Amino acid sequence: MAAVTYERVLAPLGAALPDLEALYLDLHRHPELAFAETRTAAELARRLTGDGFEVHTGVGRTGVVGVLRNGEGPTVLLRADIDALPVEEKTGLPYASTARGADAEGRDVPVMHACGHDMHATWLSGAASLLSAARDSWSGTLLAVFQPGEEGGDGAAGMVQDGVFDLAGKPDFVFGQHLVPGPAGWVLTRPGVIMAASDSLRVTLHGRGGHGSRPETTVDPAVLAASVVLKLQTIVSRETAATEPAVVTVGSMHVGTTGNVIADDAVLEVNTRAFDNAVLLRVRAAIERIVHGEAVTAGAPKPPEIELAGSYPVTANDEAVTGELTEVFRAHFGPETTMPAPLVTGSEDFSEFGRAAGAPSVFWLVGGFDPVEVITAMTEGRFESDIPSNHSPRFAPVLHPTLRAGVETLVVAALSRMAHPGVE
Amino acid sequence: MAAVTYERVLAPLGAALPDLEALYLDLHRHPELAFAETRTAAELARRLTGDGFEVHTGVGRTGVVGVLRNGEGPTVLLRADIDALPVEEKTGLPYASTARGADAEGRDVPVMHACGHDMHATWLSGAASLLSAARDSWSGTLLAVFQPGEEGGDGAAGMVQDGVFDLAGKPDFVFGQHLVPGPAGWVLTRPGVIMAASDSLRVTLHGRGGHGSRPETTVDPAVLAASVVLKLQTIVSRETAATEPAVVTVGSMHVGTTGNVIADDAVLEVNTRAFDNAVLLRVRAAIERIVHGEAVTAGAPKPPEIELAGSYPVTANDEAVTGELTEVFRAHFGPETTMPAPLVTGSEDFSEFGRAAGAPSVFWLVGGFDPVEVITAMTEGRFESDIPSNHSPRFAPVLHPTLRAGVETLVVAALSRMAHPGVE
Amino acid sequence: MAAVTYERVLAPLGAALPDLEALYLDLHRHPELAFAETRTAAELARRLTGDGFEVHTGVGRTGVVGVLRNGEGPTVLLRADIDALPVEEKTGLPYASTARGADAEGRDVPVMHACGHDMHATWLSGAASLLSAARDSWSGTLLAVFQPGEEGGDGAAGMVQDGVFDLAGKPDFVFGQHLVPGPAGWVLTRPGVIMAASDSLRVTLHGRGGHGSRPETTVDPAVLAASVVLKLQTIVSRETAATEPAVVTVGSMHVGTTGNVIADDAVLEVNTRAFDNAVLLRVRAAIERIVHGEAVTAGAPKPPEIELAGSYPVTANDEAVTGELTEVFRAHFGPETTMPAPLVTGSEDFSEFGRAAGAPSVFWLVGGFDPVEVITAMTEGRFESDIPSNHSPRFAPVLHPTLRAGVETLVVAALSRMAHPGVE
Amino acid sequence: MAAVTYERVLAPLGAALPDLEALYLDLHRHPELAFAETRTAAELARRLTGDGFEVHTGVGRTGVVGVLRNGEGPTVLLRADIDALPVEEKTGLPYASTARGADAEGRDVPVMHACGHDMHATWLSGAASLLSAARDSWSGTLLAVFQPGEEGGDGAAGMVQDGVFDLAGKPDFVFGQHLVPGPAGWVLTRPGVIMAASDSLRVTLHGRGGHGSRPETTVDPAVLAASVVLKLQTIVSRETAATEPAVVTVGSMHVGTTGNVIADDAVLEVNTRAFDNAVLLRVRAAIERIVHGEAVTAGAPKPPEIELAGSYPVTANDEAVTGELTEVFRAHFGPETTMPAPLVTGSEDFSEFGRAAGAPSVFWLVGGFDPVEVITAMTEGRFESDIPSNHSPRFAPVLHPTLRAGVETLVVAALSRMAHPGVE
């Protein structure tokens, strides 16, 4: 396909940027937790409708799907996730979130788009609009999928089970992208495995409560939890090979309500990562062994409970299609901003769409931080410490050229797969 | 003073028990956290007014004081504390609390009278009523002090600062009592130190948040908190002599909101005990050393904060008055239920009243659990594990003869100190 | 008995001091580990023989007993222990030990009289000499018992089993004393329990060895041992009441031989203390629970082994005889240097002699450090940190008046019990 | 070069195997620790002399170099390491080692060829013999280098400093190989980084000793060491990226001599690995931060000491020469036994020879375990748990075809680089 087509389709993007910026700021100021994205979904559905898409809402609870049937040709699914995180924003930005929401346990928590899904949604909304406006440039079916509940892990599966492929058939290609703290304007691709498999485990440790001054009448769940957290470190340090990447993180630990009362229980939320499903299962088994062993050691009155709250498979890109897309990106963006992606320890349920459809899928990364700042930090060895990563309360992408770049990737990728009856 | 007077004053108690039971159940069902005891205070004030006391409310925020001026003679202060705890009741009792309240940080938490202050308030209300009805049997001034905010530590000091002694002068004697999981009907006394000194410390550990899959970009506050909790155990195990009692409890530990986000901070609430103020200060210094050392070890981006949220001194009984009261109790209750109290690791701010007044004070314990169950558990070595202690979510005193015994102790103690002009 | 007798018997002590000092320095320079005290025993036997005692060597392996039958009257057993410790002396004294010996596992270790048994032996040797020289002042039988193997715990039992009481019958009174870092010249007594019960446990933790770079093929015994040590701290901090003294010490921990090989096993030597045999048993059970639980948590290939290498009961003094001896000491030494002893967490197998003989026993303490230094350190709160305790590599008693004081206590105590036919 | 030459040179190998087996068994039965390999060196020198080499002993303390000048052509250095480990053999083999030796601290320790250096030496001795016997088949200079002290890290540097390249000039190619628990007869190659960089650190933690029953007078080095060991786990689990391989192992930890004495100090030997020298330095800095922080937390009387006892750089193979050698091996051994090597977390000072000579070096791996057993264990997922790795006390290679394979690799590799004047 000729690059000239890309240019023509993308021509209105410059004029559209102020509106996309307004959408991004609005989403950023009003983040919503997984499966509570009703305000977000309504706005995205409104825009799809305005762009002439057939719009389906409530797909997989709070998901939105726009269908654009545009003649013969392949079906391309473009996916963006739309949920935010229970993180208290500390960016100091004028448009920082002060929103709160109810987490899975009903606790009132702060909410922030700390993972960039506000940008993902804005990108896809912008790309959908451009592709709709340029319907004469391509032929096929476009599925714009706004997925809820990516954080936690079963939003994609929920849309699949709820019949997302019944709306316009199974896609021939599935594409998605993620905002990362790389230089704004960079696109990073990787054939094969790109993102990790992951488990989310909820561990409830049972002690026996009592007065804080009489520990001998209790089994102290704070000490038990502390020991579990330290012992879980040994799964990565002692039980997995150095050449076998794995991560075990206890992101959340809650015990008791006041200093002078020993509580009955402790609750840990544990998240694991690996680039190989077998390793992930081994890590899960080690967690179970350690958690149960620690309870025995503590003399716990009953065994702990371990609930698998979610599980992501490895995100693996189709080698051939990734290779072709990389060439397309390189031609469009230039070789100096089209880079090989590193192996990313983050996880995604994006691959569920490709798996369920039996279609090749490709997931790529788009940088969104000030290039000078990022590259200086990299060369000075300060990248890890100074550039806030996804999920950080200080995650703060720059708007430009980030907004433009992520719209272009989706448009170019979709066009590269669609039919172009009038072109050849 | 003749025992016959006690009997005459206590004669109406049997008939009053159903009403006291109703009061107890009402307070138990409607527990209120420290300084939020407005409903409790209103009910107790209403009863004091009905019993002819001059009533002062809002003393030390939510405290209530009843003054009964009854001619020449000593002033006796009887004190009950009235606040409940952020504990979720698990007694399974038909009158179990389902109440919730806002803790010091504004979090919504369950609330329970897990320390027996509902019984303390009922006892004092009953004793005040009987002593008022028997005004012809004694002469002097009675102060019925319902103190708020005992849990946390500055309710008594607040009442003193707010002028509790301006209402009817400084007392000549200060008496108080506590419900304990001993046999119902038992009274336990101890001259000298009876309860521990205590600090409440709030420790904020600063890490650096980020994505759960990229711990290398973060300083993980969950691991830091876990290590602090384990290391704090060594203060008692290694830094205090075996013959020098001390307790360090981390009752509350809160980190993060979800498994796959590493949080910025962890907050621990630590409670300490000792029977010697110098030991308590040594423990406090050790906590500071450990908490700061652990932050350095973890590479924390900024030092931890340690806030002294409250501090209780040792509760020490006047030796002479305690000896005399013990004789009075023994004569009234019989030697088989008047016992020496053990050293109690719990803490109280009761002693603040005696200290501020420069008056001898005595604090004693009253058992409130099924005697057969308690004594069987003791003889079978199951007491610690099977009998729920104060602050346990399963703390469940029996109503009888507990209600009666704690009213009698207060009446008998007050009468033993008052003048009896017509008697001799 | 008249004080004049004590003075007469003790009169030659001044002239004997240079010889006793020489004995002390010789023993200090040549410390010998438990049951290897052959040089020590030979020298002590030589002196007893010279003083006219009937001498038995090899009693309970390396023990020495001197019998002095001196007519009708009670039999008084004076006991000193004679073994040294596997500690490397760091006192910097001109007579510091540079000796080495083989420990129970045959390892070559440094040896030091870090517990003062050299002083104990010198005291008893001096007292035996004076009492023998003054045979006309008393009547009865004197047993001078030099016991081996006090450190480790079964030296006393070994002498009893080997027939120490067959030599001259069972004693009527059993006396012993211990050098402590109190002011030189002070004598400290305590009726009832004075020293703790104690267990010595040897714990072998089984891991699975391998290359240091491939921990995933191993079960790392160093990590397992480390976790056991930290978790054992919670027995004292969480499982025993603050008012229930207990100590759990891991004095020795050995794992591996080099950094890049993960070993198969780890060996810990654990020592516990309590003032109540029931508490000691509870601590032992908690150690077993924790050690086994940790092995399960670590995925150990086989269960750990826990061997009870020794056990001391509580050292409890006869109340009546202690009271009488205290009066005798107070009269002899003056009230300003006869003090109540604190509860001592150290342990002794001394009580085995009294138990086996069915005779009242008394064990007291004698100070041996510079009084100005000790008392200044106490008043400035530096005692614990600045005055080296027993078992410290810097334990360095002053010779005077320590030597004299401990001879006098034994002589006075023995004489106070003996018959004095010519006196009354 | 024609394969026919290899066959001709290798023809006598079959007949030589019994003698090589005898050499192997002799070396295995008489292992010697680093720089104590005098018996080993004497035997290897004797054989080199017999094979017509110019022999240099004592090169780099206990190293042996054989020089064979055979006309014009390249100089090829073949290196084998010869030292054993302080490991107690538990193979149960009839020729198991029962040897003992003195470690770096002079402790008497068991010694075993647990890393296969006995096989390395035997292989090189066999290859030297064959190449010498076939001097007419090649032209150039052969250096047979038997290096001492590979375990610990400076044996190769010691030979270089001691002038190994003065004997016959700098080599043009440097080759070495390592026995691994793969199928016997397999050869594994890898271009670029093949083995890890490594540090050996000796950490001395200073506490303050005292009596085991009085921990409050001490700073307990066992608890300090335990906490350091657990905290070191977090370097890998929290401070290095999942995709950035690193290992931190505490192979040796020694504290105290008996249970009831708290020691002054603890000594840890720590070994680290990474595949990037920058990561290794980061790990070293983290160890320093943690060790110093823990000492502060413990209130240690003086700072810990950290001594860098040895350091290995990354072992990186020349890409071009490795590619060529791989082709030669594949042709000689067949593709089914010539495999790509994994990244190995073990470390080597082999690369020092190539670095110092400025010559390309290649290091490969040779399997030495029963193929059926190894492959069955791999397919059943039992490889890590069931096949003893290098440094395991149960490391037990099979003699055949292991002996033959490792001789053939050296002969073929050397011949592939030598000149062959008469051949073309």
Side-chain angles (χ1 to χ4, degrees), chain B residues 195-416:
Chain B
M195 295 186 76
S198 174
D199 277 348
S200 290
L201 300 159
R202 186 182 166 84
V203 175
T204 304
L205 299 161
H206 298 294
R208 186 172 53 236
H211 196 289
S213 71
R214 303 193 57 215
E216 72 279 10
T217 67
T218 74
V219 173
D220 186 338
V223 171
L224 173 51
S227 190
V228 166
V229 168
L230 284 196
K231 213 64 73 58
L232 290 180
Q233 308 305 312
T234 65
I235 297 176
V236 170
S237 73
R238 299 281 88 182
E239 299 194 40
T240 53
T243 50
E244 198 175 65
V247 180
V248 178
T249 287
V250 180
S252 157
M253 165 162 60
H254 293 280
V255 191
T257 51
T258 187
N260 66 342
V261 180
I262 294 173
D264 270 354
D265 304 319
V267 177
L268 309 182
E269 291 180 52
V270 185
N271 188 267
T272 67
R273 310 275 161 160
F275 291 105
D276 178 321
N277 293 328
V279 173
L280 197 75
L281 287 175
R282 200 144 41 76
V283 167
R284 195 193 293 173
I287 291 173
E288 286 172 358
R289 190 193 74 238
I290 287 170
V291 166
H292 281 94
E294 287 286 331
V296 169
T297 303
K302 55 178 172 168
E305 288 140 29
I306 304 179
E307 178 201 346
L308 183 63
S311 190
Y312 295 93
V314 157
T315 302
N317 287 330
D318 184 87
E319 305 250 348
V321 179
T322 305
E324 292 163 21
L325 267 194
T326 302
E327 286 314 305
V328 169
F329 288 158
R330 187 168 290 136
H332 178 71
F333 292 103
E336 69 285 1
T337 53
T338 307
M339 297 280 167
L343 210 45
V344 176
T345 47
S347 298
E348 260 294 337
D349 65 353
F350 164 79
S351 61
E352 180 64 17
F353 292 107
R355 196 200 56 73
S361 67
V362 184
F363 194 76
W364 62 84
L365 315 176
V366 179
F369 279 47
D370 182 73
V372 172
E373 211 175 291
V374 169
I375 292 167
T376 308
M378 278 174 170
T379 53
E380 294 179 0
R382 299 181 291 102
F383 179 76
E384 299 298 357
S385 60
D386 287 13
I387 305 296
S389 65
N390 296 70
H391 288 208
S392 162
R394 281 171 295 278
F395 184 75
V398 296
L399 298 192
H400 306 288
T402 311
L403 270 172
R404 172 188 280 275
V407 174
E408 293 191 10
T409 46
L410 290 176
V411 167
V412 163
L415 287 176
S416 77

Side-chain angles (χ1 to χ4, degrees), chain C residues 85-87 90 103 105 107 109-110 115 151-152 181 200 207-218 220-223 225-227 229-230 233 247-265 269-271 273 312 344-347 383-385 387 389-394, chain D residues 85-87 90 103 105 107 109-110 115 151-152 181 200 207-218 220-223 225-227 229-230 233 247-265 269-271 273 312 344-347 383-385 387 389-394:
Chain C
L85 283 162
V87 170
K90 297 182 184 169
D103 73 5
E105 279 73 49
R107 289 176 297 204
V109 292
C115 196
E151 307 286 354
S200 290
R208 185 171 55 236
H211 197 287
S213 72
R214 301 194 58 215
E216 72 278 11
T217 67
T218 74
D220 185 338
V223 171
S227 190
V229 168
L230 285 196
Q233 307 306 311
V247 180
V248 177
T249 287
V250 180
S252 158
M253 165 163 61
H254 293 280
V255 191
T257 51
T258 186
N260 66 340
V261 179
I262 294 173
D264 270 353
D265 303 320
E269 292 180 52
V270 186
N271 187 267
R273 309 276 162 158
Y312 297 94
V344 176
T345 47
S347 298
F383 179 77
E384 299 297 358
S385 59
I387 305 296
S389 64
N390 297 70
H391 288 207
S392 162
R394 280 170 296 276
Chain D
L85 282 162
V87 170
K90 298 183 183 169
D103 72 5
E105 279 72 50
R107 291 176 296 205
V109 291
C115 196
E151 307 286 353
S200 291
R208 185 172 53 236
H211 196 288
S213 71
R214 302 195 56 215
E216 72 278 11
T217 68
T218 74
D220 186 337
V223 171
S227 190
V229 169
L230 285 196
Q233 307 306 311
V247 180
V248 177
T249 287
V250 180
S252 158
M253 165 163 60
H254 293 280
V255 191
T257 50
T258 186
N260 66 341
V261 180
I262 294 173
D264 269 353
D265 303 320
E269 291 180 52
V270 185
N271 188 267
R273 309 276 161 159
Y312 296 94
V344 176
T345 48
S347 297
F383 179 76
E384 299 297 358
S385 59
I387 305 296
S389 65
N390 296 72
H391 289 208
S392 163
R394 282 170 295 279

Side-chain angles (χ1 to χ4, degrees), chain B residues 11-291:
Chain B
L13 176 54
L17 281 176
D19 179 52
L20 290 177
E21 182 172 329
L23 172 59
Y24 173 75
L25 296 180
D26 181 63
L27 295 179
H28 189 82
R29 280 191 182 106
H30 300 98
E32 295 171 307
L33 292 174
F35 303 117
E37 314 91 335
T38 49
R39 185 184 181 284
T40 304
E43 174 61 16
L44 295 167
R46 195 185 62 76
R47 286 174 171 257
L48 283 175
T49 302
D51 287 327
F53 280 73
E54 168 190 324
V55 176
H56 302 266
T57 58
V59 183
R61 299 174 65 183
T62 43
V64 177
V65 181
V67 181
L68 191 61
R69 294 174 219 270
N70 191 29
E72 289 295 303
T75 298
V76 175
L77 188 162
L78 303 181
R79 175 268 204 178
D81 41 6
I82 61 174
D83 54 322
L85 282 162
V87 170
E88 186 173 356
E89 180 156 356
K90 296 182 184 169
T91 58
L93 289 171
Y95 50 91
S97 164
T98 58
R100 300 189 69 85
D103 73 3
E105 278 73 48
R107 291 177 296 205
D108 177 61
V109 292
V111 185
M112 174 192 176
H113 266 302
C115 197
H117 297 188
D118 44 358
M119 187 64 82
H120 300 176
T122 305
W123 282 337
L124 179 51
S125 185
S129 188
L130 290 175
L131 286 165
S132 176
R135 257 168 296 191
D136 55 344
S137 300
W138 56 277
S139 169
T141 299
L142 179 68
L143 290 177
V145 172
F146 293 97
Q147 177 204 313
E150 187 275 332
E151 307 286 352
D154 53 4
M159 293 191 83
V160 168
Q161 284 156 29
D162 201 20
V164 68
F165 298 150
D166 298 341
L167 305 177
K170 288 189 176 170
D172 298 298
F173 300 97
V174 177
F175 296 150
Q177 58 185 2
H178 209 296
L179 176 66
V180 294
W186 284 29
V187 181
L188 302 100
T189 63
R190 183 182 183 100
V193 171
I194 182 170
M195 295 186 76
S198 174
D199 277 348
S200 290
L201 300 159
R202 186 182 166 84
V203 175
T204 304
L205 299 161
H206 298 294
R208 186 172 53 236
H211 196 289
S213 71
R214 303 193 57 215
E216 72 279 10
T217 67
T218 74
V219 173
D220 186 338
V223 171
L224 173 51
S227 190
V228 166
V229 168
L230 284 196
K231 213 64 73 58
L232 290 180
Q233 308 305 312
T234 65
I235 297 176
V236 170
S237 73
R238 299 281 88 182
E239 299 194 40
T240 53
T243 50
E244 198 175 65
V247 180
V248 178
T249 287
V250 180
S252 157
M253 165 162 60
H254 293 280
V255 191
T257 51
T258 187
N260 66 342
V261 180
I262 294 173
D264 270 354
D265 304 319
V267 177
L268 309 182
E269 291 180 52
V270 185
N271 188 267
T272 67
R273 310 275 161 160
F275 291 105
D276 178 321
N277 293 328
V279 173
L280 197 75
L281 287 175
R282 200 144 41 76
V283 167
R284 195 193 293 173
I287 291 173
E288 286 172 358
R289 190 193 74 238
I290 287 170
V291 166

Side-chain angles (χ1 to χ4, degrees), chain C residues 11 23 25 47 63 65-66 73 75 101 119 122 158-159 161 169 236 253 264 267 270 283 296 328 332 343 347 401 408:
Chain C
L23 173 58
L25 295 181
R47 287 174 172 256
V65 181
T75 298
M119 187 64 80
T122 305
M159 293 190 83
Q161 284 157 28
V236 169
M253 165 163 61
D264 270 353
V267 178
V270 186
V283 167
V296 169
V328 168
H332 179 72
L343 210 45
S347 298
E408 294 191 12

Side-chain angles (χ1 to χ4, degrees), chain A residues 201 203 225 228-233 247-254 267-272 287, chain B residues 212 220-223 226 255-263, chain D residues 238:
Chain A
L201 299 160
V203 175
V228 166
V229 168
L230 285 196
K231 214 64 71 57
L232 290 180
Q233 308 305 311
V247 180
V248 177
T249 287
V250 180
S252 158
M253 165 163 59
H254 293 279
V267 178
L268 308 182
E269 291 180 52
V270 185
N271 188 267
T272 67
I287 292 173
Chain B
D220 186 338
V223 171
V255 191
T257 51
T258 187
N260 66 342
V261 180
I262 294 173
Chain D
R238 300 281 87 183

Side-chain angles (χ1 to χ4, degrees), chain A residues 162-243:
Chain A
D162 201 22
V164 68
F165 298 150
D166 299 342
L167 305 177
K170 288 189 177 172
D172 298 297
F173 301 97
V174 177
F175 296 150
Q177 58 184 2
H178 209 296
L179 176 65
V180 294
W186 284 29
V187 181
L188 302 99
T189 63
R190 182 181 183 100
V193 171
I194 183 170
M195 294 185 76
S198 174
D199 277 348
S200 290
L201 299 160
R202 186 181 166 86
V203 175
T204 304
L205 299 162
H206 297 294
R208 184 171 54 235
H211 197 288
S213 71
R214 302 194 56 215
E216 71 279 11
T217 67
T218 74
V219 174
D220 186 338
V223 171
L224 173 52
S227 190
V228 166
V229 168
L230 285 196
K231 214 64 71 57
L232 290 180
Q233 308 305 311
T234 65
I235 297 176
V236 170
S237 72
R238 299 281 89 183
E239 299 194 40
T240 53
T243 51

